[in-house]
Amino acid sequence: MAILFIWVLAAYGMTSILVWGAIFEKARTIIKKHSKFFGDLISCTLCTSTWVGFFMSLILGSITNRFFDTFWFINLFFDGMFTAGAVWAINAIVEFFEESRIK
């Protein structure tokens, strides 16, 4: 269970840096200037986190393979979907508190 928590936190951190981080501001500007598709992709938390999940699965090994014994490409797909959903959920919670909806 701890591995899932670490996976999600790492994915959220990587996605946050790619989408909002100042260190990638120039790269995002160049990407948006040259490609609408990749510009939209790097600006979207859900889109970027899906690809972060694919990347983490390829580099670190599949997280879903620990629970389901299937082919690698099926695990790759579900790693991306799991990562996107988890990062989106964390982002929704963070945005909820940033907007100070609780008064």
Coordinates of all heavy atoms in Angstrom, one line a residue, residues 6-84:
I6 N 3.5 6.3 -2.6 CA 4.7 6.9 -3.1 C 4.6 7.2 -4.6 O 5.0 8.2 -5.1 CB 5.9 6.0 -2.8 CG1 6.2 6.0 -1.3 CG2 7.2 6.5 -3.6 CD1 7.2 4.9 -0.8
W7 N 4.0 6.2 -5.3 CA 3.8 6.3 -6.7 C 2.9 7.6 -7.0 O 3.3 8.4 -7.9 CB 3.1 5.1 -7.3 CG 2.8 5.1 -8.7 CD1 1.7 5.7 -9.3 CD2 3.5 4.4 -9.8 NE1 1.7 5.4 -10.7 CE2 2.8 4.7 -11.0 CE3 4.6 3.6 -9.8 CZ2 3.2 4.2 -12.2 CZ3 5.1 3.1 -11.0 CH2 4.4 3.4 -12.2
V8 N 1.8 7.7 -6.3 CA 0.9 8.8 -6.5 C 1.6 10.2 -6.2 O 1.4 11.1 -7.0 CB -0.4 8.6 -5.7 CG1 -1.3 9.9 -5.8 CG2 -1.2 7.4 -6.3
L9 N 2.3 10.2 -5.1 CA 3.0 11.5 -4.7 C 4.0 11.8 -5.8 O 4.2 13.0 -6.1 CB 3.6 11.4 -3.4 CG 2.6 11.5 -2.2 CD1 3.4 11.4 -0.9 CD2 1.9 12.8 -2.2
A10 N 4.8 10.9 -6.2 CA 5.8 11.1 -7.3 C 5.2 11.6 -8.6 O 5.6 12.6 -9.2 CB 6.6 9.9 -7.5
A11 N 4.1 11.0 -8.9 CA 3.4 11.4 -10.2 C 2.8 12.8 -10.0 O 2.8 13.6 -11.0 CB 2.3 10.4 -10.5
Y12 N 2.2 13.1 -8.9 CA 1.6 14.4 -8.7 C 2.7 15.5 -8.7 O 2.6 16.5 -9.3 CB 0.9 14.5 -7.3 CG 0.3 15.8 -7.1 CD1 -0.8 16.3 -7.8 CD2 0.9 16.7 -6.2 CE1 -1.4 17.5 -7.6 CE2 0.4 18.0 -6.0 CZ -0.8 18.4 -6.7 OH -1.3 19.6 -6.5
G13 N 3.9 15.2 -8.1 CA 5.0 16.1 -8.1 C 5.5 16.3 -9.5 O 5.7 17.5 -9.9
M14 N 5.7 15.3 -10.3 CA 6.2 15.4 -11.6 C 5.2 16.1 -12.5 O 5.6 17.0 -13.3 CB 6.4 14.0 -12.2 CG 7.2 14.0 -13.5 SD 7.5 12.4 -14.2 CE 8.3 11.5 -12.8
T15 N 3.9 15.8 -12.4 CA 2.9 16.5 -13.2 C 2.9 18.0 -12.8 O 2.8 18.9 -13.7 CB 1.5 15.9 -12.9 OG1 1.6 14.5 -13.3 CG2 0.5 16.6 -13.7
S16 N 2.9 18.3 -11.5 CA 2.9 19.7 -11.1 C 4.1 20.5 -11.7 O 3.9 21.6 -12.1 CB 2.9 19.8 -9.6 OG 1.8 19.2 -9.0
I17 N 5.2 19.9 -11.6 CA 6.4 20.6 -12.2 C 6.3 20.8 -13.7 O 6.6 21.9 -14.2 CB 7.7 19.8 -11.8 CG1 8.0 19.9 -10.3 CG2 8.9 20.3 -12.6 CD1 9.0 18.9 -9.8
L18 N 5.8 19.8 -14.4 CA 5.7 19.9 -15.8 C 4.6 21.0 -16.2 O 4.8 21.7 -17.2 CB 5.3 18.6 -16.5 CG 6.5 17.6 -16.5 CD1 5.9 16.2 -16.9 CD2 7.6 18.0 -17.4
V19 N 3.5 21.0 -15.5 CA 2.3 21.8 -15.9 C 2.5 23.3 -15.3 O 2.2 24.2 -16.0 CB 1.0 21.2 -15.5 CG1 -0.2 22.1 -15.7 CG2 0.8 19.9 -16.2
W20 N 3.0 23.4 -14.1 CA 3.0 24.7 -13.5 C 4.4 25.3 -13.1 O 4.5 26.4 -12.7 CB 2.1 24.8 -12.2 CG 0.7 24.3 -12.5 CD1 -0.2 25.0 -13.2 CD2 0.1 23.2 -11.9 NE1 -1.4 24.3 -13.2 CE2 -1.2 23.2 -12.4 CE3 0.5 22.2 -11.1 CZ2 -2.2 22.2 -12.1 CZ3 -0.4 21.2 -10.8 CH2 -1.7 21.2 -11.3
G21 N 5.4 24.4 -13.1 CA 6.7 24.8 -12.6 C 7.3 25.9 -13.4 O 7.3 25.9 -14.7
A22 N 8.0 26.8 -12.7 CA 8.7 27.9 -13.4 C 9.9 27.4 -14.2 O 10.3 28.0 -15.2 CB 9.1 28.9 -12.3
I23 N 10.5 26.3 -13.8 CA 11.6 25.7 -14.4 C 11.3 25.3 -15.9 O 12.2 25.3 -16.7 CB 12.2 24.6 -13.6 CG1 13.6 24.2 -14.2 CG2 11.4 23.3 -13.7 CD1 14.4 23.3 -13.2
F24 N 10.1 24.9 -16.2 CA 9.7 24.5 -17.5 C 8.9 25.6 -18.2 O 8.3 25.3 -19.3 CB 8.9 23.2 -17.5 CG 9.7 22.0 -17.2 CD1 9.6 21.4 -16.0 CD2 10.6 21.5 -18.1 CE1 10.4 20.2 -15.7 CE2 11.4 20.4 -17.9 CZ 11.3 19.8 -16.6
E25 N 8.8 26.8 -17.7 CA 8.0 27.9 -18.3 C 8.5 28.1 -19.8 O 7.7 28.2 -20.7 CB 8.1 29.1 -17.5 CG 7.2 30.2 -18.0 CD 5.7 29.9 -17.9 OE1 5.3 29.3 -16.9 OE2 5.0 30.2 -18.8
K26 N 9.8 28.3 -20.0 CA 10.3 28.5 -21.4 C 10.0 27.4 -22.3 O 9.6 27.6 -23.4 CB 11.8 28.8 -21.3 CG 12.1 30.2 -20.7 CD 13.6 30.4 -20.7 CE 13.9 31.7 -20.0 NZ 15.3 32.0 -20.0
A27 N 10.2 26.2 -21.8 CA 9.9 25.0 -22.7 C 8.4 24.9 -23.0 O 8.1 24.6 -24.2 CB 10.3 23.7 -21.9
R28 N 7.5 25.2 -22.0 CA 6.1 25.2 -22.3 C 5.7 26.2 -23.3 O 4.9 26.0 -24.2 CB 5.3 25.4 -21.0 CG 5.1 24.2 -20.2 CD 4.1 24.4 -19.1 NE 4.3 25.5 -18.3 CZ 5.1 25.6 -17.2 NH1 5.7 24.5 -16.8 NH2 5.2 26.7 -16.5
T29 N 6.3 27.4 -23.2 CA 6.1 28.5 -24.2 C 6.5 28.1 -25.6 O 5.7 28.3 -26.6 CB 6.8 29.8 -23.8 OG1 6.4 30.1 -22.4 CG2 6.5 30.9 -24.7
I30 N 7.6 27.5 -25.7 CA 8.1 27.0 -27.0 C 7.2 25.9 -27.6 O 6.9 25.9 -28.8 CB 9.6 26.6 -26.9 CG1 10.5 27.8 -26.6 CG2 10.0 25.8 -28.2 CD1 11.9 27.4 -26.3
I31 N 6.9 25.0 -26.7 CA 6.0 23.9 -27.2 C 4.6 24.4 -27.6 O 4.1 24.0 -28.7 CB 5.8 22.8 -26.0 CG1 7.1 22.1 -25.8 CG2 4.7 21.8 -26.4 CD1 7.2 21.3 -24.6
K32 N 4.0 25.3 -26.9 CA 2.7 25.9 -27.2 C 2.8 26.7 -28.6 O 1.9 26.7 -29.3 CB 2.2 26.8 -26.1 CG 1.8 26.1 -24.9 CD 1.3 27.0 -23.8 CE 1.0 26.3 -22.5 NZ 0.7 27.2 -21.5
K33 N 4.0 27.3 -28.8 CA 4.2 28.1 -30.0 C 4.2 27.2 -31.2 O 3.7 27.6 -32.3 CB 5.4 29.0 -29.8 CG 5.7 29.8 -31.0 CD 7.0 30.6 -30.8 CE 7.3 31.5 -32.0 NZ 8.6 32.3 -31.7
H34 N 4.9 26.1 -31.1 CA 5.1 25.2 -32.3 C 4.1 24.1 -32.5 O 4.0 23.6 -33.6 CB 6.5 24.6 -32.2 CG 7.6 25.6 -32.3 ND1 7.9 26.3 -33.5 CD2 8.5 26.1 -31.4 CE1 8.9 27.2 -33.3 NE2 9.3 27.0 -32.0
S35 N 3.3 23.8 -31.5 CA 2.4 22.6 -31.6 C 1.2 22.9 -30.7 O 1.3 22.9 -29.5 CB 3.1 21.3 -31.3 OG 2.1 20.3 -31.3
K36 N 0.0 23.0 -31.4 CA -1.2 23.1 -30.6 C -1.5 21.9 -29.8 O -1.8 21.9 -28.6 CB -2.4 23.4 -31.5 CG -3.7 23.5 -30.7 CD -4.8 24.1 -31.6 CE -6.1 24.1 -30.9 NZ -6.2 24.2 -29.4
F37 N -1.3 20.7 -30.4 CA -1.6 19.4 -29.7 C -0.7 19.3 -28.4 O -1.2 19.0 -27.3 CB -1.3 18.2 -30.6 CG -1.5 16.9 -29.9 CD1 -2.7 16.4 -29.6 CD2 -0.3 16.2 -29.6 CE1 -2.8 15.2 -29.0 CE2 -0.4 15.0 -28.9 CZ -1.7 14.4 -28.6
F38 N 0.6 19.4 -28.6 CA 1.5 19.2 -27.4 C 1.4 20.4 -26.5 O 1.6 20.2 -25.3 CB 3.0 19.0 -27.9 CG 3.2 17.7 -28.5 CD1 3.4 17.6 -29.9 CD2 3.1 16.5 -27.8 CE1 3.6 16.3 -30.5 CE2 3.3 15.3 -28.3 CZ 3.5 15.2 -29.7
G39 N 1.0 21.6 -27.0 CA 0.8 22.7 -26.1 C -0.4 22.5 -25.2 O -0.3 22.8 -24.0
D40 N -1.5 22.0 -25.8 CA -2.6 21.6 -25.0 C -2.3 20.5 -24.0 O -2.8 20.5 -22.8 CB -3.8 21.2 -25.8 CG -4.4 22.4 -26.6 OD1 -4.1 23.6 -26.3 OD2 -5.1 22.1 -27.6
L41 N -1.5 19.5 -24.4 CA -1.2 18.4 -23.6 C -0.4 18.8 -22.4 O -0.7 18.4 -21.3 CB -0.4 17.4 -24.4 CG 0.0 16.1 -23.7 CD1 -0.9 15.0 -24.0 CD2 1.4 15.8 -24.0
I42 N 0.6 19.7 -22.6 CA 1.4 20.1 -21.4 C 0.7 21.1 -20.5 O 1.2 21.4 -19.4 CB 2.8 20.7 -22.0 CG1 3.9 20.6 -20.9 CG2 2.6 22.1 -22.5 CD1 4.4 19.3 -20.6
S43 N -0.4 21.6 -20.9 CA -1.2 22.6 -20.1 C -2.3 21.9 -19.3 O -2.9 22.6 -18.5 CB -1.8 23.7 -21.0 OG -0.8 24.4 -21.7
C44 N -2.5 20.7 -19.6 CA -3.6 20.0 -19.0 C -3.1 19.0 -17.9 O -2.3 18.1 -18.2 CB -4.4 19.2 -20.1 SG -5.6 18.0 -19.5
T45 N -3.6 19.1 -16.7 CA -3.2 18.3 -15.6 C -3.5 16.8 -15.9 O -2.7 15.9 -15.7 CB -3.8 18.7 -14.3 OG1 -3.5 20.1 -14.1 CG2 -3.3 17.9 -13.1
L46 N -4.7 16.6 -16.3 CA -5.2 15.2 -16.6 C -4.4 14.6 -17.7 O -4.0 13.4 -17.6 CB -6.7 15.2 -16.9 CG -7.4 13.8 -16.9 CD1 -7.2 13.2 -15.5 CD2 -8.8 14.0 -17.2
C47 N -4.2 15.3 -18.8 CA -3.4 14.8 -19.9 C -2.0 14.5 -19.6 O -1.4 13.4 -19.9 CB -3.5 15.8 -21.1 SG -5.1 16.3 -21.5
T48 N -1.3 15.4 -18.9 CA 0.1 15.3 -18.6 C 0.3 14.1 -17.6 O 1.2 13.3 -17.7 CB 0.6 16.6 -18.0 OG1 0.5 17.6 -18.9 CG2 2.1 16.5 -17.7
S49 N -0.6 14.0 -16.6 CA -0.5 12.9 -15.6 C -0.7 11.6 -16.2 O -0.1 10.6 -15.8 CB -1.5 13.2 -14.5 OG -2.8 13.1 -14.9
T50 N -1.5 11.5 -17.3 CA -1.6 10.2 -18.0 C -0.3 9.8 -18.6 O 0.2 8.6 -18.4 CB -2.7 10.3 -19.1 OG1 -3.9 10.7 -18.5 CG2 -2.8 8.9 -19.8
W51 N 0.4 10.7 -19.2 CA 1.7 10.4 -19.9 C 2.8 10.2 -18.8 O 3.7 9.4 -19.0 CB 2.1 11.5 -20.9 CG 1.2 11.3 -22.1 CD1 0.1 12.0 -22.4 CD2 1.4 10.4 -23.1 NE1 -0.5 11.5 -23.6 CE2 0.4 10.5 -24.1 CE3 2.4 9.4 -23.4 CZ2 0.3 9.8 -25.2 CZ3 2.3 8.7 -24.6 CH2 1.2 8.8 -25.4
V52 N 2.7 10.9 -17.7 CA 3.6 10.7 -16.6 C 3.4 9.2 -16.1 O 4.4 8.6 -15.8 CB 3.3 11.7 -15.4 CG1 4.0 11.3 -14.2 CG2 3.8 13.1 -15.9
G53 N 2.2 8.8 -16.0 CA 1.9 7.4 -15.6 C 2.5 6.4 -16.5 O 3.1 5.4 -16.1
F54 N 2.4 6.6 -17.8 CA 3.0 5.8 -18.8 C 4.5 5.8 -18.7 O 5.2 4.7 -18.7 CB 2.7 6.2 -20.3 CG 1.2 6.1 -20.7 CD1 0.7 6.9 -21.6 CD2 0.4 5.2 -20.1 CE1 -0.6 6.8 -22.0 CE2 -1.0 5.1 -20.4 CZ -1.4 5.9 -21.4
F55 N 5.1 6.9 -18.5 CA 6.6 7.1 -18.4 C 7.1 6.4 -17.1 O 8.0 5.6 -17.2 CB 6.9 8.6 -18.3 CG 8.4 8.8 -18.0 CD1 9.3 8.7 -19.0 CD2 8.7 9.2 -16.7 CE1 10.7 8.9 -18.7 CE2 10.1 9.5 -16.4 CZ 11.0 9.3 -17.4
M56 N 6.4 6.6 -16.0 CA 6.8 5.9 -14.7 C 6.7 4.4 -14.9 O 7.5 3.7 -14.3 CB 5.9 6.4 -13.6 CG 6.3 7.8 -13.2 SD 5.2 8.5 -11.9 CE 5.6 7.4 -10.5
S57 N 5.6 3.9 -15.5 CA 5.5 2.5 -15.7 C 6.6 1.9 -16.5 O 7.1 0.8 -16.2 CB 4.1 2.2 -16.4 OG 3.9 0.9 -16.6
L58 N 7.0 2.6 -17.6 CA 8.1 2.1 -18.4 C 9.5 2.1 -17.7 O 10.3 1.2 -17.8 CB 8.2 2.9 -19.7 CG 7.1 2.6 -20.7 CD1 7.2 3.6 -21.9 CD2 7.2 1.2 -21.3
I59 N 9.7 3.2 -17.0 CA 11.0 3.4 -16.3 C 11.1 2.6 -15.0 O 12.1 2.0 -14.7 CB 11.3 4.9 -16.1 CG1 11.3 5.7 -17.4 CG2 12.6 5.1 -15.3 CD1 12.3 5.2 -18.4
L60 N 10.1 2.7 -14.1 CA 10.1 2.1 -12.8 C 9.5 0.7 -12.7 O 9.7 0.0 -11.7 CB 9.4 3.0 -11.8 CG 9.9 4.5 -11.7 CD1 9.0 5.3 -10.8 CD2 11.3 4.5 -11.2
G61 N 8.8 0.4 -13.7 CA 8.1 -0.9 -13.7 C 6.6 -0.7 -13.3 O 6.3 0.3 -12.7
S62 N 5.8 -1.6 -13.7 CA 4.3 -1.4 -13.6 C 3.9 -1.5 -12.1 O 4.3 -2.4 -11.4 CB 3.6 -2.5 -14.4 OG 2.3 -2.4 -14.2
I63 N 3.0 -0.6 -11.8 CA 2.4 -0.7 -10.4 C 1.2 -1.6 -10.4 O 1.0 -2.3 -9.4 CB 2.0 0.8 -9.9 CG1 1.7 0.8 -8.4 CG2 0.8 1.3 -10.7 CD1 2.9 0.8 -7.6
T64 N 0.5 -1.7 -11.5 CA -0.6 -2.6 -11.6 C -0.2 -4.1 -11.7 O -1.0 -5.0 -11.3 CB -1.6 -2.3 -12.7 OG1 -0.9 -2.3 -13.9 CG2 -2.2 -0.9 -12.5
N65 N 1.0 -4.3 -12.1 CA 1.5 -5.7 -12.2 C 1.6 -6.3 -10.8 O 1.6 -7.5 -10.7 CB 2.9 -5.7 -12.9 CG 3.3 -7.1 -13.3 OD1 2.4 -7.9 -13.7 ND2 4.5 -7.4 -13.2
R66 N 1.7 -5.5 -9.8 CA 1.7 -6.0 -8.4 C 0.4 -6.6 -8.0 O 0.3 -7.4 -7.1 CB 2.1 -4.9 -7.4 CG 3.5 -4.4 -7.7 CD 3.8 -3.2 -6.7 NE 5.0 -2.5 -7.1 CZ 6.2 -2.9 -6.8 NH1 6.4 -3.9 -6.0 NH2 7.3 -2.2 -7.1
F67 N -0.7 -6.2 -8.7 CA -2.0 -6.7 -8.3 C -2.7 -7.6 -9.4 O -3.5 -8.4 -9.1 CB -2.9 -5.4 -8.1 CG -2.4 -4.5 -7.1 CD1 -1.8 -3.3 -7.4 CD2 -2.5 -4.8 -5.7 CE1 -1.3 -2.5 -6.5 CE2 -2.0 -4.0 -4.8 CZ -1.3 -2.8 -5.1
F68 N -2.3 -7.3 -10.7 CA -2.9 -8.1 -11.8 C -1.7 -8.6 -12.7 O -0.9 -7.9 -13.1 CB -3.8 -7.2 -12.6 CG -4.9 -6.5 -11.8 CD1 -4.7 -5.2 -11.6 CD2 -6.0 -7.2 -11.4 CE1 -5.7 -4.5 -10.8 CE2 -6.9 -6.6 -10.6 CZ -6.8 -5.2 -10.3
D69 N -1.8 -9.9 -12.9 CA -0.7 -10.5 -13.8 C -1.2 -10.6 -15.2 O -1.9 -11.5 -15.6 CB -0.4 -11.9 -13.2 CG 0.8 -12.5 -13.9 OD1 1.6 -11.7 -14.4 OD2 0.9 -13.8 -14.0
T70 N -1.0 -9.5 -15.9 CA -1.4 -9.4 -17.3 C -0.2 -9.0 -18.2 O 0.9 -8.8 -17.7 CB -2.5 -8.4 -17.5 OG1 -2.1 -7.1 -17.0 CG2 -3.8 -8.8 -16.7
F71 N -0.5 -8.8 -19.5 CA 0.6 -8.4 -20.4 C 1.1 -7.0 -20.1 O 0.3 -6.2 -19.5 CB 0.1 -8.5 -21.8 CG -0.3 -9.8 -22.3 CD1 -1.6 -10.2 -22.5 CD2 0.7 -10.8 -22.5 CE1 -2.0 -11.5 -22.9 CE2 0.3 -12.1 -22.9 CZ -1.0 -12.4 -23.1
W72 N 2.3 -6.7 -20.4 CA 2.9 -5.4 -20.1 C 2.2 -4.2 -20.7 O 2.1 -3.2 -20.0 CB 4.4 -5.4 -20.5 CG 4.6 -5.4 -22.0 CD1 4.7 -6.4 -22.8 CD2 4.7 -4.2 -22.8 NE1 4.8 -6.0 -24.1 CE2 4.8 -4.6 -24.2 CE3 4.6 -2.8 -22.5 CZ2 4.9 -3.7 -25.2 CZ3 4.7 -1.9 -23.6 CH2 4.9 -2.4 -24.9
F73 N 1.7 -4.4 -21.9 CA 1.0 -3.2 -22.5 C -0.4 -2.9 -21.9 O -0.8 -1.8 -21.8 CB 0.9 -3.4 -24.0 CG 0.2 -4.7 -24.5 CD1 -1.2 -4.8 -24.6 CD2 1.0 -5.8 -24.7 CE1 -1.8 -5.9 -25.0 CE2 0.4 -7.0 -25.1 CZ -1.0 -7.1 -25.3
I74 N -1.0 -4.0 -21.3 CA -2.2 -3.7 -20.6 C -1.9 -3.0 -19.2 O -2.6 -2.1 -18.8 CB -3.0 -5.1 -20.3 CG1 -3.4 -5.7 -21.7 CG2 -4.1 -4.9 -19.4 CD1 -4.0 -7.1 -21.6
N75 N -0.8 -3.5 -18.6 CA -0.4 -2.8 -17.3 C 0.0 -1.4 -17.6 O -0.3 -0.5 -16.8 CB 0.8 -3.6 -16.7 CG 0.4 -4.9 -16.1 OD1 -0.8 -5.1 -15.8 ND2 1.3 -5.8 -16.1
L76 N 0.7 -1.1 -18.7 CA 1.1 0.2 -19.1 C -0.2 1.1 -19.2 O -0.2 2.2 -18.6 CB 1.8 0.2 -20.4 CG 2.3 1.5 -20.9 CD1 3.5 2.0 -20.1 CD2 2.8 1.4 -22.4
F77 N -1.2 0.6 -19.9 CA -2.4 1.4 -20.0 C -3.1 1.7 -18.6 O -3.4 2.9 -18.4 CB -3.4 0.6 -20.9 CG -4.8 1.3 -20.9 CD1 -5.0 2.4 -21.7 CD2 -5.8 0.8 -20.2 CE1 -6.3 3.0 -21.8 CE2 -7.1 1.4 -20.3 CZ -7.3 2.5 -21.1
F78 N -3.2 0.7 -17.8 CA -3.8 0.9 -16.5 C -3.0 1.7 -15.6 O -3.5 2.5 -14.7 CB -4.2 -0.4 -15.9 CG -5.5 -1.0 -16.5 CD1 -5.4 -2.1 -17.3 CD2 -6.7 -0.4 -16.4 CE1 -6.5 -2.6 -17.9 CE2 -7.8 -0.9 -17.0 CZ -7.8 -2.0 -17.7
D79 N -1.7 1.7 -15.7 CA -0.8 2.6 -14.9 C -1.1 4.0 -15.3 O -1.1 4.9 -14.4 CB 0.7 2.2 -15.1 CG 1.1 0.9 -14.5 OD1 0.4 0.5 -13.6 OD2 2.1 0.4 -14.9
G80 N -1.2 4.3 -16.6 CA -1.5 5.7 -17.0 C -2.8 6.1 -16.5 O -3.0 7.3 -16.0
M81 N -3.8 5.3 -16.6 CA -5.2 5.6 -16.1 C -5.2 5.8 -14.6 O -5.9 6.8 -14.1 CB -6.2 4.6 -16.6 CG -6.4 4.4 -18.1 SD -6.7 5.9 -19.0 CE -5.1 6.2 -19.7
F82 N -4.6 4.9 -13.9 CA -4.6 5.0 -12.4 C -3.9 6.3 -12.0 O -4.4 7.1 -11.1 CB -3.8 3.8 -11.8 CG -3.5 4.0 -10.3 CD1 -4.5 4.0 -9.4 CD2 -2.2 4.3 -9.9 CE1 -4.2 4.2 -8.0 CE2 -1.9 4.5 -8.6 CZ -2.9 4.4 -7.7
T83 N -2.7 6.6 -12.6 CA -2.0 7.8 -12.3 C -2.8 9.1 -12.6 O -2.8 10.0 -11.8 CB -0.6 7.8 -13.1 OG1 0.1 6.6 -12.8 CG2 0.2 9.0 -12.7
A84 N -3.4 9.1 -13.8 CA -4.3 10.3 -14.1 C -5.4 10.5 -13.1 O -5.6 11.6 -12.7 CB -4.8 10.1 -15.5

